[in-house]
Amino acid sequence: MTVTTIPKQSLIGQRITKRDAPEKTIGQTRYIQDMTLPGQLHAKILRSSRLHAKIISIDTAKAAALPGVHCVITAADVPEQRPIGVKKDQLPLKTDRVRSYRDEIAAVAADSPEIAAAALRLIEVVYEDLPPLTDPKLSKLPDAPRLHDAPDNVALTFAYKHGDVAEGEAESDFVIEDEFSLHFVTHCCMGVSGVIAEFEPSGNLTLYSNTQVPFLHKRDFAELLNIDPGRIRIIQPPIGGGFGSKLDIYPFEPICIYLARRTGRPVKLVFSREEEFIASPTRQPLTVTLRSGVKKDGALTFRTVRTLLDNGAYTSWGATTPFVMMQTFSSLYRVAHCDYYTEAVYTNNPYSGSFRGYGNLQATFAVEQHMDRLAELLGMDGLEFRLKNAQDRGEVTLQGLHFKSCGLKECLSVAAERSDYRQKRERHQAQQAAPGTIKRGVGMASMLHVGGGAKIYPSDGCGSILKLDDFAHVTLMTGASEIGQGSETVLAQLVCEELGIPLDAVTVINNDTDITPWDVGVHASRTTFVAGNSAIGAARKARDKILAAAAKVTNLHADQLDLRAGYIVRAEDGEALMPLAKMLRSLHFSDMAELVITSHYYEPPSKHQDKDYKGDVSAAYAWATHVVEIELDTATGIVRLDKVTAAHDVGRVINQLGIEGQIEGGIVMGQGYAITEHLMFEDGLCLNPNFRDYKLVTAPEIPEMDITFIETMDGEGPQGAKGVGEAPAICMAAAVANAIENATGVRLTSLPFTPERVYRALTEARR
Amino acid sequence: MSLLREIRFTLNGVERRLSVPITMTALAMLRDVLNMTGTKYGCGEGECGACTILVDGQTVNSCIMFAVDCDGREVKTIEGVAADEQWRPLREALVEHGGVQCGFCTPGMVVQASHVLSKNPHADHHAIKRGLEGNLCRCTGYKKIIDAVAAVAGEQEVVP
C-alpha cells in the first residue's frame, strides 16, 4: 500500500471567489423582484400629496370598484394597526394627519401592478394644510407647531461627557470652533425595496423579505400583528444591496401583510425607483458645532460638540447615530475632556435610517478637519500631530473602549509614506496662489469604528449549526445574512479551515428563520467577526468529535491527528490514515449510531454601555487612514478624485478578494458622499428622485486605489480578523475636504462638494 | 386595457411571436410576459443599465424601449449571452476578479461588457471605463469589474 501524505494548507488570506458569483453572471439569481407565487396579487401605496396636513376624508369607492382590484385599505380598515419605528411614532397607514410627502394613506392589492397604480389614481383625499416645518432650528422655536407629542419637537437627545471641558479649555493654547453641515444622501441599492407576504390557512405567515435583521423582525412583526412569533417565517431571497437600509421595519412591509391577510392571497409589493428615492431611508443629515483645543506641545485638550439632527417626520435608526458619533469624538484620538450633546428634532422632512458608517462619516468629517486646522495653528505637520494624539494597543479610552488591538499609528504611517503625503502637501500648498485654475491637493483622514460587533441588543450573538453527512459534505446553517458582502464565502472558508475539507464540500444555509439559528442581523460590521467565531465554534466541536472517534480507531491521541483535504491524517507527517467520509459513515452506521451535528452560539465579550454611554461596546475596533489626492478646477468647481491611498487595520485578511472588494466599494461610496451625491429637498419635496439628477459615481470617475492591510491579529477575532464592512466609506469626505483646503487654501465645511457648491464657496472665500 | 399588437422577433436565436400591449416596455415583456428575469429593473428611466439587452447588436436600456419596437429585430438578453460560449471567459473573469457582490447590476454589466469587447476586442482600461459608464454598481466601486473586462481584452487573440 502506498502511503499518501497531505501537507497542511491554509485557506486564510487566499483570494477566494464569491460562492454565488457564477449564477449572478448568468442572470439566474432570483431576487425578490423576480419571484412570483401562485395566485399572487400586486400592491401599491398611495402617498401624501401634501407635506403637512390634516386628512379630512379619503374616498376609496371608485378604486375598489375598478375591475381587477381585490382590496383597498386605509387606516380605517385596519384598526389593528400598531405603531412602528424606533420611537413607535408612526402608524403604517396614517389616520388623520400626514407629516411628510412619503406618508402612506391607502394601499391597493390588484391583479397587476398597472391595475393597482390605476386604482391609486381613483382614490380621493381631501386635506387641510398645516404649517410646514422643514428646518430643525425653526422646529425648536416655542411657537412652532408640534409634530408629535414631544416638547420643542425634540425626538431624541444624547449626552456624553468625560473630564471637564472648561478645565480643558483653560489649559489650551489654541481653541477653534466651526460649524459643519452634512446633507441628505440615500443608499441607492440597485435592487429596489420589496416584500411578499403569504398566509397559510393555519394563520402562519411567510414573509419573503430583504431585511438585514430577520430574527429581530420576526419578533417585531409578531407584536405588530398580534400573533405568536413562532407563526412567522422570514425567508430572504438574494438581496440587491443593503448598506444598512434594511434594518428597520418600514410602513410598506406591514401594509403588504395587511393586504395579504385581507385577501387571503400572497401579495407582492415592490417599489419603483422614484418611490425608492422618496420613501426609503436616508443618511442622517445634521449640523455639528465642534470646539477643540490643543496645547503648544501638540496634545489635544478638549472637544465640545453640539449636533442638531433633522429627525424628519418620524424616528428610525438615523436619529440614534449619535451613539456611534460620540465614539469618534471621544476616542478616535486621545482627548482628556469631551462633552457631547445632541438633539434630533422633528421636521416634515424624510426620516433617516442606518447607512454604512452609521453617523461616523459625519463625525469624522468634523473631527478630521479640526485635526488639520489645529496642526496648522501649531505649525505642526498633520501626520505628526495625529501620531502624537493617536491611541495605542492596550489603551482603554475615557469612554471605556478597550483597544486590545490597534493599528492606527501603522495606518497613519503607511498611508502617508505610500502616498508621499508630506512632500505633496507642501508642494501643493506652495502652488495655491500660482497662476492657472487647475489646483492639486492631498488630504488625510483616519477613522475608528466597531470591528467586533456592537452590544446594542440583549445579545450581540450568532448561532451556527453544522451538519456533516455520510459523504463528508458539510452544511452550515448560520443566522448571518448574505447581502452581497460575501459573508457566505468567508463563513464557508472558516469552516473548511477547521475541518480540512475543500470549499465545494460546504453548503451554507443562511436565509430562512425556520432553519437557521438566531443572529442579531447584518449591521455594525459584525458578520465576519461574530458569525465567523460562531461557525468556527461549531466546526471545532465537530472536529473534536471526529478526532476523538478517529483516535480510537487509529490508536493515536486525538491531538496527534489532523483533518486535511478530506482525510484524517497523522499531524506530524501528514500521512493519510482514513478518508473523513469513511470515518463519518462508521460513526453513523454502527451500534452506537451517531450523526455528526454540532451547534455553537458565540456571544462577543463586549459590554452594554451604561446610561452615560460608557463601556467597551465592541469586542474589537477597526482603524483606517485614507490619503486622497484631488484635482480641482477653480473655474468650474469640479473636484476630481485622482488617487486614494488607504491603510486599514483589519486584524487579519481572511479572503483577500472579498476584503479588497469591500474596501474599494466603500471608497467609491464615500467618494459619492463627498463629491457627487445630494438628495435635494425644497419645502420637503424631493427634487431629484432619479439617477439622472442624483449622481452616483460611474466607472470612469473612480480613483486609482492603493490599499494596504495592516494585520494586527486581534486576539478575539476569527483567525485574528476584525470587521471591515463600514470602515472604507467613513473617512473619505473628511480627507477630500482636507485635500480641497490643501489645493486652494479654502476650508469647506458643508457637504457635498458638487461643482456649483465648490465654485460658490471658493468665490465667497475670495471676497 | 391598452391596444395589443402582434410582433415577431428573434429572442436569443429563437423566433418568437406574441401579442403585446403597445404601452408595454421591452423589459416588462421579457420579465413579466416571457418570465425571463435575468434582465433587471433598476430605475425604469434608462439611467442605471441593469436592464441592458442587445437589439440588432447594439446595447439598449430595455426599460425605455417599447416591446413593439422589438418587431422584426434580433434581441439578445443575458440568458442569450450566458448560453454563448464566446462569453464564458468574460463571465469567469468577473467571478475570478471579484467583480460581483450583490449581483443586481451584474447581468446588465455582462451584456454591456460583451458589447464593449465585441466592438473593441482589445479595449484598454480607458475604453472599458467609458464603455461601462452607463451601468451603475453600488457595491464594488467598479474596479474589479473593469479589471475583469480588461483581463479578457488582454487575452483575446489579435485577429490580423
Side-chain angles (χ1 to χ4, degrees):
Chain A
M1 194 183 124
T2 54
V3 177
T4 312
T5 60
I6 304 170
K8 195 167 181 66
Q9 281 180 327
S10 176
L11 287 167
I12 305 304
Q14 306 282 313
R15 301 180 78 82
I16 308 293
T17 59
K18 204 162 178 299
R19 297 169 72 80
D20 54 4
E23 68 163 49
K24 285 174 171 174
T25 65
I26 58 170
Q28 202 182 66
T29 305
R30 306 201 86 180
Y31 300 85
I32 203 158
Q33 292 84 355
D34 307 325
M35 289 180 60
T36 304
L37 299 185
Q40 169 185 292
L41 299 175
H42 299 266
K44 293 266 180 206
I45 292 171
L46 180 72
R47 297 179 189 279
S48 175
S49 60
R50 304 295 177 90
L51 180 64
H52 186 201
K54 274 186 196 163
I55 301 174
I56 304 299
S57 65
I58 311 172
D59 186 348
T60 60
K62 284 180 198 158
L66 187 72
V69 170
H70 290 253
C71 183
V72 185
I73 55 170
T74 67
D77 302 306
V78 278
E80 73 269 29
Q81 279 202 105
R82 293 187 188 191
I84 59 169
V86 168
K87 266 182 66 91
K88 305 271 183 259
D89 55 7
Q90 68 169 321
L91 287 167
L93 284 161
K94 311 305 181 260
T95 50
D96 55 352
R97 186 172 171 191
V98 289
R99 294 178 179 85
S100 79
Y101 283 118
R102 61 169 63 172
D103 278 20
E104 298 78 5
I105 291 176
V108 174
D111 285 332
S112 73
E114 293 74 23
I115 296 173
L120 293 187
R121 291 192 288 273
L122 298 174
I123 298 173
E124 290 163 13
V125 186
V126 178
Y127 300 96
E128 184 184 306
D129 283 323
L130 294 166
L133 279 175
T134 54
D135 179 342
K137 281 180 186 146
L138 301 181
S139 281
K140 279 190 66 186
L141 295 178
D143 57 343
R146 292 283 165 268
L147 289 174
H148 292 274
D149 185 17
D152 298 330
N153 280 322
V154 174
L156 283 177
T157 63
F158 285 84
Y160 168 81
K161 191 184 260 193
H162 71 241
D164 175 357
V165 287
E167 194 184 306
E169 184 150 353
E171 65 192 32
S172 299
D173 294 309
F174 296 101
V175 173
I176 56 170
E177 182 175 316
D178 288 290
E179 186 178 289
F180 301 89
S181 96
L182 293 305
H183 61 311
F184 276 109
V185 295
T186 186
H187 304 72
C188 297
C189 302
M190 294 315 298
V192 288
S193 301
V195 66
I196 302 174
E198 181 179 32
F199 282 94
E200 289 171 22
S202 65
N204 287 2
L205 168 66
T206 302
L207 210 57
Y208 297 87
S209 163
N210 282 340
T211 181
Q212 296 179 223
V213 287
F215 292 94
L216 297 181
H217 276 190
K218 187 169 156 146
R219 187 182 141 157
D220 290 347
F221 278 119
E223 195 184 298
L224 205 57
L225 301 167
N226 198 21
I227 62 176
D228 171 4
R231 298 171 79 90
I232 299 179
R233 177 182 192 182
I234 297 182
I235 295 175
Q236 299 154 281
I239 294 172
F243 314 114
S245 62
K246 295 157 173 76
L247 282 191
D248 205 354
I249 287 179
Y250 300 106
F252 78 91
E253 294 161 308
I255 287 171
C256 187
I257 297 170
Y258 298 143
L259 289 167
R261 211 183 221 178
R262 266 159 190 71
T263 56
R265 303 262 293 261
V267 176
K268 178 177 181 178
L269 195 159
V270 175
F271 280 11
S272 68
R273 177 57 64 184
E274 183 180 16
E275 199 171 16
E276 184 79 8
F277 271 106
I278 290 169
S280 62
T282 52
R283 189 185 288 286
Q284 182 63 54
L286 69 153
T287 54
V288 182
T289 307
L290 175 61
R291 192 170 171 84
S292 312
V294 274
K295 290 186 198 168
K296 274 187 190 140
D297 66 1
L300 280 170
T301 47
F302 77 98
R303 290 192 204 286
T304 305
V305 197
R306 296 290 176 264
T307 65
L308 181 63
L309 277 61
D310 184 343
N311 192 81
Y314 307 102
T315 311
S316 182
W317 292 118
T320 71
T321 52
F323 183 81
V324 170
M325 289 187 212
M326 63 176 72
Q327 289 167 20
T328 289
F329 293 115
S330 79
S331 303
L332 170 55
Y333 297 99
R334 224 175 273 138
V335 57
H337 309 282
C338 180
D339 183 330
Y340 174 80
Y341 179 73
T342 191
E343 288 179 339
V345 179
Y346 285 119
T347 66
N348 295 119
N349 288 327
Y351 52 93
S352 295
S354 63
F355 189 174
R356 194 181 201 173
Y358 211 88
N360 207 350
L361 287 76
Q362 297 93 316
T364 301
F365 183 70
V367 165
E368 281 293 337
Q369 290 205 64
H370 260 202
M371 292 307 282
D372 260 23
R373 278 203 61 195
L374 291 169
E376 199 185 312
L377 281 170
L378 291 162
M380 251 173 118
D381 170 75
L383 171 66
E384 191 191 334
F385 177 54
R386 285 177 173 87
L387 283 169
K388 182 173 170 65
N389 291 284
Q391 310 276 358
D392 280 310
R393 186 166 71 90
E395 226 162 304
V396 180
T397 77
L398 291 159
Q399 197 183 350
L401 314 185
H402 183 186
F403 301 139
K404 294 177 258 320
S405 63
C406 174
L408 176 58
K409 286 181 176 169
E410 294 93 318
C411 288
L412 280 161
S413 306
V414 166
E417 201 169 302
R418 291 184 70 90
S419 61
D420 198 10
Y421 169 78
R422 276 182 165 145
Q423 268 206 344
K424 282 181 182 160
R425 199 158 171 83
E426 278 174 28
R427 195 163 70 227
H428 298 324
Q429 194 174 359
Q431 290 296 312
Q432 282 173 6
T437 64
I438 305 293
K439 303 289 172 193
R440 290 182 190 283
V442 58
M444 167 185 278
S446 297
M447 74 100 224
L448 150 71
H449 203 70
V450 293
K455 201 153 284 181
I456 314 298
Y457 298 99
S459 166
D460 189 31
C462 175
S464 301
I465 301 169
L466 206 64
K467 174 175 84 86
L468 282 76
D469 75 6
D470 311 339
F471 311 101
H473 189 91
V474 176
T475 304
L476 169 67
M477 288 158 263
T478 173
S481 308
E482 166 75 41
I483 61 167
Q485 84 280 42
S487 66
E488 192 173 271
T489 307
V490 160
L491 297 178
Q493 228 183 312
L494 292 170
V495 166
C496 289
E497 187 72 9
E498 297 301 325
L499 298 180
I501 49 172
L503 276 165
D504 58 9
V506 184
T507 300
V508 181
I509 306 286
N510 56 3
N511 68 341
D512 185 339
T513 56
D514 270 9
I515 296 171
T516 59
W518 196 86
D519 173 66
V520 85
V522 188
H523 78 130
S525 303
R526 66 185 284 284
T527 299
T528 293
F529 194 97
V530 179
N533 272 328
S534 176
I536 289 174
R540 286 193 180 152
K541 285 177 187 171
R543 180 188 164 88
D544 289 349
K545 206 166 176 176
I546 293 160
L547 292 185
K552 282 185 196 162
V553 182
T554 58
N555 288 323
L556 290 166
H557 280 292
D559 56 13
Q560 293 174 297
L561 298 168
D562 196 6
L563 297 174
R564 292 178 198 171
Y567 281 84
I568 290 157
V569 304
R570 193 160 54 207
E572 63 170 352
D573 58 4
E575 186 190 328
L577 304 172
M578 190 196 312
L580 174 60
K582 191 175 170 192
M583 182 75 238
L584 289 164
R585 282 195 293 274
S586 72
L587 276 170
H588 185 179
F589 304 115
S590 69
D591 300 347
M592 306 282 285
E594 198 180 2
L595 296 169
V596 181
I597 298 178
T598 59
S599 71
H600 189 71
Y601 190 82
Y602 174 75
E603 180 69 48
S606 47
K607 294 185 185 70
H608 289 102
Q609 292 185 328
D610 62 20
K611 63 178 181 12
D612 299 320
Y613 302 106
K614 288 186 180 157
D616 194 21
V617 72
S618 183
Y621 297 87
W623 303 87
T625 300
H626 286 194
V627 173
V628 309
E629 293 170 54
I630 61 152
E631 185 186 282
L632 186 155
D633 187 345
T634 58
T636 61
I638 292 174
V639 177
R640 207 182 71 193
L641 203 51
D642 282 338
K643 187 173 178 187
V644 176
T645 306
H648 280 253
D649 168 13
V650 300
R652 186 180 183 192
V653 174
I654 294 182
N655 181 353
Q656 179 79 20
L657 194 65
I659 201 167
E660 284 173 9
Q662 285 295 298
I663 304 291
E664 290 164 10
I667 285 173
V668 172
M669 189 174 266
Q671 174 186 6
Y673 184 59
I675 297 177
T676 71
E677 297 176 39
H678 190 190
L679 195 62
M680 292 184 279
F681 293 91
E682 196 171 285
D683 301 328
L685 185 71
C686 184
L687 300 179
N688 56 341
N690 59 68
F691 284 133
R692 189 184 60 243
D693 302 316
Y694 183 96
K695 172 83 179 78
L696 289 185
V697 173
T698 61
E701 296 159 312
I702 65 165
E704 181 189 342
M705 294 182 253
D706 175 299
I707 299 164
T708 305
F709 297 110
I710 309 293
E711 297 195 307
T712 49
M713 301 298 289
D714 190 85
E716 183 63 26
Q719 298 284 355
K722 301 196 267 194
V724 71
E726 295 167 282
I730 290 170
C731 35
M732 288 299 294
V736 172
N738 287 339
I740 291 176
E741 193 283 330
N742 182 229
T744 63
V746 180
R747 182 155 291 286
L748 305 187
T749 54
S750 170
L751 279 175
F753 303 137
T754 49
E756 184 183 342
R757 292 169 52 85
V758 169
Y759 181 81
R760 278 176 195 273
L762 293 179
T763 310
E764 256 168 51
R766 279 199 209 101
R767 276 204 199 110
Chain B
M1 290 309 290
S2 62
L3 229 58
L4 295 177
R5 210 185 113 189
E6 185 154 308
I7 57 171
R8 290 175 67 166
F9 63 104
T10 310
L11 179 58
N12 299 327
V14 179
E15 183 86 1
R16 304 299 293 243
R17 181 188 287 213
L18 69 159
S19 212
V20 291
I22 56 166
T23 52
M24 182 175 266
T25 65
L27 176 64
M29 175 183 72
L30 290 169
R31 290 180 55 84
D32 305 337
V33 179
L34 299 169
N35 199 26
M36 292 170 64
T37 55
T39 308
K40 302 300 177 198
Y41 166 92
C43 72
E45 298 182 330
E47 293 289 342
C48 79
C51 67
T52 304
I53 59 170
L54 285 154
V55 179
D56 289 344
Q58 298 295 325
T59 45
V60 171
N61 287 311
S62 62
C63 71
I64 49 169
M65 178 184 181
F66 284 116
V68 292
D69 287 332
C70 292
D71 193 30
R73 304 172 83 170
E74 269 194 37
V75 176
K76 195 170 183 179
T77 65
I78 179 62
E79 288 85 356
V81 177
D84 189 339
E85 278 302 308
Q86 186 191 351
W87 302 116
R88 177 181 289 279
L90 170 64
R91 298 191 303 271
E92 288 176 352
L94 276 163
V95 175
E96 291 300 321
H97 286 262
V100 180
Q101 285 186 30
C102 91
F104 203 84
C105 72
T106 308
M109 283 287 182
V110 170
V111 174
Q112 182 62 25
S114 75
H115 178 64
V116 170
L117 291 172
S118 295
K119 296 281 163 193
N120 186 359
H122 302 287
D124 61 10
H125 268 76
H126 179 76
I128 292 165
K129 285 179 182 178
R130 280 288 164 207
L132 299 179
E133 187 170 14
N135 291 67
L136 298 178
C137 169
R138 191 56 154 167
C139 296
T140 65
Y142 303 103
K143 182 171 183 295
K144 295 200 178 310
I145 298 173
I146 297 162
D147 288 348
V149 181
V152 178
E155 280 166 15
Q156 301 233 350
E157 272 180 45
V158 184
V159 183

